[in-house]
Amino acid sequence: MGNTVIDAHNVNKVYNPDTIPVYAINNVHLHIEEGEFTALVGPSGSGKTTLLNLIGGLDKPDQGNIVINGVDITQLSPGELIEFRLKNIGFVFQSFNLIPVLTAKENAEFIMLLQGAKKATRNERIGQLFKEIEMEDKLNSRPAQLSGGQQQRVAVARALASKPKFVLADEPTANLDSKSASNLLDIMARLNKEEKITFLFSTHDQRVIERAKRVITLVDGKITSDTAMVDTNILHAEIK
Amino acid sequence: MIWIMAWRNIWRNKMRSIIIMLSVAIGLFAGIGVQSLYDGMMTSRVRNVIDEETGHIQLHNPGFKNDYEPRYVIDNGNNLLTKIRSIEGVKFASARSITTGMLSTPTGSAGVQVNGIVAEDEYKTSLLKQKIIAGKEFNDAAENEIIIGKKLADKMKLRPGLKLVLTFTDTTGEIVSSAFRVAAVYESSNTPLDERNVYVKQATLNNLLLCGNAFQEIVVLLQNDLDTEKKQKQLQQLFPSLKIESWKELSPETEFMVKTVDQYSYIIMIIIMLALAFGIINTMLMAVLERTKEIGMMVALGTNRIRIFFLVLFETVFLTFAGTPVGLAISWIFISYFHKHGLDLSGMGKEMMNRFGFGTLIYLEFPFDKLAGVLLIVIGTALISFLFPALKALKLQPAEALRQ
Ligand SMILES: Nc1ncnc2c1ncn2[C@@H]1O[C@H](COP(=O)(O)OP(=O)(O)OP(=O)(O)O)[C@@H](O)[C@H]1O
Ligand SMILES: [Mg+2]
């Protein structure tokens, strides 16, 4: 491949440093290249969400540098960070992804709207993505009228609509049944392949892990393994 | 986009939105209502002062006002009276002979101001005739008749037909006494004045005062209240040697009351607005806190603070502007009704209202002159109250908000 998208160096994050410190991320180095489809796994409390938040610029590390696409985001002001996220990063959260008062289509084009994309551009892109996620008939539904799987698919469409450098997804399938989960993974994998969009997602789910091309394991805030092969022994021990 | 979201957000919790809208409406209504009630009361008070007590303008010999000594008559009074009556804008003018003295009955005595009046003239400048509640008007045949106030009648145990004695000094300084028979009892909406003022025929009083056909006071009633100052100046120019006062100087407590009540009404406005502000802060804060996760998610996706600020601002603006016409409508209906039918405040105690010189039936006026001010205060309050919840929304940290 080639282009480096994420380059994290010696990253540390401590919660409550003054009372009972929690070393959520401990000396993490991470290097992700364009086009990757990588899973971040680890037991609950191992720091997956924290690491994704740091990479996504939602939180600041206590130590270390995080370089995204050549920009050290730890040096950006809060306002610059918001702008940076808008232009470079797609997000899919575990739950409550969509804005309830907007329709599926409006939610999907939300980022494009914030970026000031023209109506024709938006319509074309959203139409294409809704075909991909097989929800052309749900364009005008409100989130409350959609199933959990459909909502997550809209969230993926939104994350991809503006063609970001990469997409961060924190347990995107955690609230889905296995059929919806596998369907969402199909869509993510296909878009990764077709549009060359880099995905970094955290998960607990064995079936989701199996779909990843690279699996990074986090335990107690440290990366304990980083491999294209899934280490089934560790996983069985962690998931139970 | 942001304003579409704001608009739809309003309908998410209809009850809450209606409550804010109604708070604004009620705040506006309360503000306008208070202003209109106070305006109505003040108009009523001023009306009473002009119609029952002072007229618009009074003319005296400058010496008279010091001690109410009857020897300070208005020189050439009858000529002046005719002249004044012909001035444009003057509705009518009447003359009063005045002295102060002692009213005695077998059971007691009281200090009074004796007003010598020409009945037909007096009826045109004050509401004396309408205020009579017992007995009859002056009888042409009888000379020594007197009309007294109800409060005084009660105190001295007098009623029509009974006799009393008035004692006072005449224009030469001699003490004179004379017996009078009560012809009628009147009651006005200003009890202290009722207790003090008694009315006799001018001819009778002038005989006793030995002042011929001279008198001490001219009362002027104008066509238009608003002309008062202008006409006062005009009269002063015509008659520079006389003391010429308007109701504002003759009843300074009324003028003072009008000014004070104006200030009070603004203090009450502020209190109402504080209540409104807390209502809006509370409700909008709930609306923001309830959506912590949603707003956090929007910020995480790259929505900048300005847009979040405008989202909350638009929601407040929509609710405020929805409440404003409702408030105006309620005020209009309320005031129109009581403008026509009068607001009966006798529940507050007729006695109490009259002691301060108010009528008990207040006719409300829509305070057009103060409307802009009230609107500005209400809308301003709503928009200022929005700042607090908006700042709260701006301070949301996306990572923390999303964890909740
Ligand atoms: N705001 C916070 N304040 C204090 N401690 C926190 C905070 N957020 C997370 N932690 C702690 O940091 C550690 C890592 O949490 P994190 O949420 O990143 O784990 P995770 O791997 O995402 O877990 P899960 O699989 O349950 O989502 C945990 O021990 C957690 O309790
Ligand atoms: Mg997590």
Side-chain angles (χ1 to χ4, degrees), chain B residues 57-264:
Chain B
I57 298 170
Q58 292 185 0
L59 295 81
H60 299 99
N61 183 318
F64 177 74
K65 284 296 242 185
N66 295 337
D67 263 324
Y68 284 74
E69 283 181 64
R71 67 190 165 95
Y72 293 108
V73 297
I74 296 177
D75 296 324
N76 227 346
N78 287 303
N79 257 341
L80 259 64
L81 193 59
T82 330
K83 254 191 216 159
I84 291 171
R85 280 178 185 165
S86 67
I87 290 176
E88 202 185 309
V90 171
K91 200 167 172 190
F92 197 70
S94 62
R96 290 176 188 153
S97 300
I98 295 178
T99 185
T100 52
M102 186 73 84
L103 179 150
S104 322
T105 67
T107 52
S109 58
V112 291
Q113 171 171 329
V114 186
N115 298 281
I117 58 170
V118 179
E120 309 85 69
D121 292 357
E122 180 68 25
Y123 296 158
K124 286 185 204 161
T125 43
S126 79
L127 293 175
L128 183 61
K129 186 173 175 178
Q130 288 85 332
K131 289 185 290 186
I132 291 177
I133 55 167
K136 289 200 184 78
E137 296 165 38
F138 288 141
N139 177 343
D140 287 341
E143 268 189 16
N144 283 22
E145 280 191 328
I146 185 166
I147 298 178
I148 63 173
K150 176 169 186 294
K151 178 89 186 184
L152 184 67
D154 290 348
K155 196 168 130 193
M156 307 296 292
K157 301 194 178 60
L158 286 166
R159 59 185 147 77
L162 295 186
K163 282 210 267 185
L164 56 84
V165 173
L166 289 179
T167 310
F168 43 82
T169 48
D170 64 22
T171 45
T172 64
E174 293 293 318
I175 291 180
V176 284
S177 280
S178 183
F180 287 82
R181 189 180 296 276
V182 177
V185 175
Y186 72 91
E187 181 181 20
S188 77
S189 49
N190 192 339
T191 326
L193 282 180
D194 289 11
E195 192 175 352
R196 189 169 157 72
N197 281 287
V198 301
Y199 297 88
V200 300
K201 289 180 180 168
Q202 194 173 62
T204 313
L205 185 60
N206 282 12
N207 277 341
L208 292 166
L209 288 174
L210 306 173
C211 63
N213 62 0
F215 42 79
Q216 287 77 12
E217 178 172 288
I218 293 178
V219 186
V220 180
L221 203 64
L222 301 174
Q223 312 267 20
N224 189 341
D225 289 351
L226 300 176
D227 276 352
T228 308
E229 265 173 56
K230 208 173 80 194
K231 293 290 158 195
Q232 183 185 3
K233 277 199 193 112
Q234 188 184 346
L235 287 171
Q236 191 69 70
Q237 268 169 5
L238 285 172
F239 316 114
S241 64
L242 292 182
K243 190 169 177 76
I244 300 179
E245 296 161 297
S246 74
W247 64 266
K248 290 182 190 182
E249 290 126 351
L250 293 163
S251 182
E253 71 280 2
T254 303
E255 169 77 351
F256 178 70
M257 197 189 285
V258 170
K259 283 193 177 140
T260 316
V261 163
D262 232 34
Q263 286 165 1
Y264 271 137

Side-chain angles (χ1 to χ4, degrees), chain A residues 128-139:
Chain A
Q128 173 203 346
L129 281 167
F130 270 63
K131 211 175 277 171
E132 294 272 7
I133 64 173
E134 289 161 3
M135 284 182 60
E136 292 142 294
D137 55 333
K138 300 282 186 197
L139 278 168

Side-chain angles (χ1 to χ4, degrees), chain A residues 15 50 58 82 85-86 91 93 96-102 106 110-111 113-114 142 158, chain B residues 1 4-5 8-9 12 293-294 297-305 307 398-399 402-403:
Chain A
Y15 289 114
T50 306
L58 299 177
I82 293 179
R85 289 200 298 268
L86 178 63
F91 288 93
F93 306 105
F96 209 85
N97 256 300
L98 304 181
I99 297 164
V101 294
L102 299 181
E106 289 165 339
F110 186 73
I111 310 255
L113 270 165
L114 293 183
R142 292 279 181 96
R158 178 183 61 197
Chain B
M1 180 49 122
I4 292 178
M5 287 174 66
R8 292 188 192 159
N9 277 334
R12 275 166 88 165
K293 230 179 152 172
E294 184 180 329
M297 181 255 294
M298 287 170 64
V299 176
L301 292 178
T303 315
N304 64 31
R305 311 272 161 178
R307 289 191 162 105
L402 283 166
R403 267 185 202 276

Side-chain angles (χ1 to χ4, degrees), chain A residues 27-218:
Chain A
N27 232 359
V28 162
H29 296 265
L30 184 65
H31 186 91
I32 290 190
E33 302 224 319
E34 192 171 16
E36 282 195 27
F37 197 66
T38 300
L40 188 60
V41 304
S44 184
S46 58
K48 303 184 294 293
T49 298
T50 306
L51 184 57
L52 288 178
N53 283 348
L54 292 173
I55 295 171
L58 299 177
D59 215 344
K60 289 229 166 185
D62 294 301
Q63 230 183 66
N65 299 317
I66 299 167
V67 179
I68 308 282
N69 234 34
V71 177
D72 186 351
I73 62 168
T74 58
Q75 305 299 317
L76 298 179
S77 73
E80 289 169 335
L81 261 179
I82 293 179
E83 194 69 19
F84 187 83
R85 289 200 298 268
L86 178 63
K87 290 195 174 134
N88 297 283
I89 311 175
F91 288 93
V92 179
F93 306 105
Q94 176 179 335
S95 64
F96 209 85
N97 256 300
L98 304 181
I99 297 164
V101 294
L102 299 181
T103 64
K105 177 175 184 274
E106 289 165 339
N107 264 291
E109 64 183 3
F110 186 73
I111 310 255
M112 297 183 83
L113 270 165
L114 293 183
Q115 291 179 342
K118 291 220 173 67
K119 190 168 181 177
T121 322
R122 290 194 322 250
N123 283 343
E124 195 195 323
R125 180 72 173 145
I126 300 302
Q128 173 203 346
L129 281 167
F130 270 63
K131 211 175 277 171
E132 294 272 7
I133 64 173
E134 289 161 3
M135 284 182 60
E136 292 142 294
D137 55 333
K138 300 282 186 197
L139 278 168
N140 294 316
S141 305
R142 292 279 181 96
Q145 299 163 323
L146 300 176
S147 74
Q150 289 170 330
Q151 289 184 32
Q152 291 304 76
R153 274 141 68 188
V154 174
V156 169
R158 178 183 61 197
L160 292 172
S162 58
K163 303 195 176 165
K165 297 291 176 307
F166 64 96
V167 172
L168 295 175
D170 192 8
E171 312 210 29
T173 60
N175 291 339
L176 303 183
D177 59 66
S178 54
K179 197 167 155 252
S180 307
S182 126
N183 179 263
L184 189 74
L185 255 290
D186 286 344
I187 290 168
M188 284 165 57
R190 193 162 65 236
L191 289 164
N192 167 253
K193 207 168 164 185
E194 286 170 5
E195 304 205 351
K196 298 273 172 294
I197 287 174
T198 313
F199 275 89
L200 176 59
F201 52 93
S202 72
T203 186
H204 276 118
D205 190 333
Q206 180 62 50
R207 279 160 305 194
V208 174
I209 298 167
E210 282 166 5
R211 307 286 294 267
K213 296 179 195 162
R214 174 183 173 192
V215 176
I216 296 168
T217 310
L218 210 56

